[in-house]
Amino acid sequence: MFITKKSLSRRTVLRGLGAAVALPLLDSMVPALTAAPARAKRLGAVYVPNGMSMPYWRPANAGPLELSSILKPLAAVKDQVLVLSGMDNREAEPILNEGDGDHSRAQAAFLTGAHALKASGVRTTLEVGVSMDQVAARHFGKETQLASLELSLEANDLVGQCEDGYGCAYSATLAWRDSNTPLPMETDPRAVFERLFGAAGSTKREALLRGFRKDQSILDSVTEELTGLRRVIGGSDRSKLNGYLDSVRDIERRIQITESQGDRELPVVAQPAGIPAKFEDYASVMFDLMLVAYQADLTRVCTFLIGREKSVRPYPEIGIPEAHHAVSHHQMRADLLERLSRINTHHMQLFAHFVEKMKATPDGDGTLLDNSLIIYGAGMSNSNAHVPRDLPIALVGSGGGLVKGGRHLQMPAGLPLANLHLTVLDKMGVPVEHLGNSNGELKVVSDV
């Protein structure tokens, strides 16, 4: 670490023409002759809908991790991947006379470990439980500009009913501030960018868009401050700063291109500005926004919905023109399980690209991935039968060296998924004794 006689504030931002650009952790932010501060830890949860093609997901043996077909895209970060088999989310199962609603319950219970209640009789409100990400957000929120960031690649309403009496909110979000308050997930990368880097002096969207649609980049407006900052930081910091600002500029450029293409080809009503036409491009820019939010320490908690339950998105780009939900009802036929596995692998490839970037992003003495824990998984295993047991779950990252990857753990039957959430929160330094239907932590997660 480069030790200087002066130090910058960890909250240093560059300001100019209505823009505020946060900075990553630089060596120059460490006071002279003092030990480096404890590294910030990041928490993430990435959810895939409609279950998993389990024969293509499950590693062959417990012990050292052998990557299955769906998991192979994670090869570059294999040593930081922990696959846990056998974990259940029984709160997603129906109670007596409750009827259908498996998809809604599965998604709602994924991070809460709680049973979602449908609107019936006198009940008109949503009710499930606080999600583990929001427990972390309460803890870290006082240290970052945003307590949490909620991203989705598929929109759904927070109001109304969507599945057999279950409110649409149950399949519109992963994040619940409390048992009755779902948090909306942002689907527009332009809106996410503005939330992270927009004008601090105004919340009017019209004013922000007028500024963004000009040919001038946000970063051009802070050129003078950048010049001054580069004079007082070391060579290592200049390299970090240049790499970070290049990433911000690249995201802005892609959003501007997408927005201009959308304005040319379709009415704004038909295609909201900023959402790419290609799914993989859409996922890429949203994951990059999540990466930059972590890197700049704008937030330490993110949830990411690749698709909502009962998603009918087709994937013609990988040879699957049918709706995802229809493909997920595979009837245990080998040919249909293989087709579902292609969708599952496609999702994993997009996620793997993101975590590879995290591994390549310096963060203090390590990388972003070293100091993060990302839960990846689905609320069902066998999607044909809507089974919320033996879930496909992977924990990616090292949590500051507290989690040992490169393994496949076969957990005891019936172990609540909420036990993993409790364990992850503990590794993040978030004090909590109970979450949903948890009954203890998983000591094996950090076993050497």
Side-chain angles (χ1 to χ4, degrees):
M1 176 162 289
F2 184 82
I3 297 181
T4 63
K5 293 182 180 180
K6 299 179 180 179
S7 67
L8 298 172
S9 166
R10 179 67 186 94
R11 293 285 165 244
T12 299
V13 297
L14 306 178
R15 298 186 183 276
L17 294 183
V21 179
L23 299 175
L25 177 64
L26 303 175
D27 291 348
S28 303
M29 292 173 178
V30 180
L33 304 178
T34 62
R39 299 304 174 200
K41 296 179 182 178
R42 286 80 168 185
L43 170 67
V46 178
Y47 186 88
V48 291
N50 300 331
M52 194 73 65
S53 184
M54 294 304 290
Y56 291 83
W57 166 275
R58 189 187 305 279
N61 302 294
L65 181 59
E66 303 170 45
L67 296 175
S68 63
S69 175
I70 293 174
L71 294 169
K72 279 182 180 177
L74 293 173
V77 295
K78 177 182 174 181
D79 62 329
Q80 291 179 283
V81 177
L82 180 64
V83 177
L84 301 101
S85 292
M87 305 209 73
D88 293 351
N89 203 354
R90 297 192 182 185
E91 292 299 322
E93 295 178 343
I95 57 179
L96 184 64
N97 299 323
E98 192 170 36
D100 294 333
D102 298 336
H103 285 279
S104 297
R105 289 190 298 266
Q107 185 171 321
F110 189 72
L111 294 184
T112 65
H115 190 85
L117 299 179
K118 67 171 66 177
S120 60
V122 296
R123 180 183 299 282
T124 58
T125 59
L126 302 162
E127 185 172 338
V128 58
V130 63
S131 54
M132 61 91 70
D133 61 295
Q134 290 306 298
V135 175
R138 292 173 188 171
H139 182 78
F140 292 122
K142 58 183 179 291
E143 301 178 33
T144 57
Q145 291 186 33
L146 302 176
S148 61
L149 185 63
E150 294 76 37
L151 305 175
S152 176
L153 302 182
E154 190 167 20
N156 199 17
D157 294 329
L158 283 177
V159 297
Q161 296 183 11
C162 284
E163 185 186 21
D164 195 45
Y166 280 93
C168 295
Y170 290 129
S171 57
T173 188
L174 291 173
W176 291 79
R177 180 172 290 133
D178 54 47
S179 60
N180 308 115
T181 311
L183 295 181
M185 305 196 84
E186 182 56 66
T187 59
D188 186 349
R190 164 64 70 179
V192 178
F193 189 88
E194 289 168 6
R195 189 178 177 197
L196 296 175
F197 302 107
S202 173
T203 59
K204 293 182 179 179
R205 180 174 176 80
E206 294 80 9
L208 292 174
L209 285 174
R210 280 197 301 271
F212 278 122
R213 282 170 177 160
K214 292 179 181 177
D215 235 349
Q216 184 182 36
S217 164
I218 284 178
L219 298 182
D220 292 339
S221 71
V222 293
T223 300
E224 186 175 343
E225 287 203 22
L226 274 173
T227 301
L229 180 62
R230 288 189 174 107
R231 293 195 193 105
V232 299
I233 61 178
S236 173
D237 279 347
R238 280 194 293 272
S239 177
K240 288 181 186 178
L241 182 64
N242 289 338
Y244 168 70
L245 295 178
D246 284 346
S247 296
V248 174
R249 192 185 295 274
D250 183 60
I251 293 170
E252 183 184 18
R253 177 187 59 79
R254 282 187 283 165
I255 292 174
Q256 288 173 338
I257 290 172
T258 298
E259 187 172 49
S260 65
Q261 289 175 340
D263 288 341
R264 267 202 317 266
E265 298 172 3
L266 293 171
V268 174
V269 172
Q271 181 177 342
I275 297 180
K278 291 184 178 179
F279 178 71
E280 54 265 42
D281 294 340
Y282 185 15
S284 177
V285 73
M286 292 291 269
F287 271 128
D288 281 355
L289 286 165
M290 182 172 168
L291 176 74
V292 172
Y294 280 154
Q295 188 179 5
D297 203 24
L298 295 172
T299 188
R300 298 176 189 174
V301 181
C302 292
T303 48
F304 196 108
L305 194 63
I306 286 184
R308 61 181 179 84
E309 282 296 335
K310 299 192 78 171
S311 171
V312 294
R313 184 192 297 277
Y315 294 89
E317 65 272 27
I318 58 169
I320 309 292
E322 301 89 354
H324 184 183
H325 183 226
V327 175
S328 73
H329 283 276
H330 46 70
Q331 304 167 49
M332 297 307 296
R333 284 173 43 185
D335 59 327
L336 296 181
L337 281 164
E338 188 278 331
R339 290 175 70 76
L340 179 59
S341 77
R342 278 192 255 166
I343 297 176
N344 300 150
T345 303
H346 187 44
H347 291 162
M348 182 60 79
Q349 288 168 339
L350 299 170
F351 174 67
H353 188 54
F354 163 64
V355 292
E356 285 176 21
K357 285 186 176 182
M358 291 187 72
K359 186 175 183 178
T361 301
D363 187 54
D365 296 331
T367 71
L368 271 181
L369 194 60
D370 293 337
N371 296 319
S372 301
L373 286 175
I374 313 290
I375 300 168
Y376 182 99
M380 299 177 181
S381 51
N382 178 359
S383 52
N384 189 65
H386 296 175
V387 177
R389 302 191 186 195
D390 192 14
L391 296 175
I393 300 294
L395 185 61
V396 183
S398 300
L402 298 177
V403 172
K404 181 186 176 185
R407 297 182 294 159
H408 171 216
L409 301 179
Q410 179 60 55
M411 310 306 292
L415 203 65
L417 177 62
N419 284 12
L420 174 63
H421 301 334
L422 202 65
T423 304
V424 168
L425 288 170
D426 176 69
K427 302 301 180 189
M428 299 292 294
V430 179
V432 57
E433 296 183 0
H434 182 77
L435 181 84
N437 65 338
S438 66
N439 58 21
E441 293 187 21
L442 307 178
K443 303 300 183 184
V444 70
V445 164
S446 55
D447 283 353
V448 178

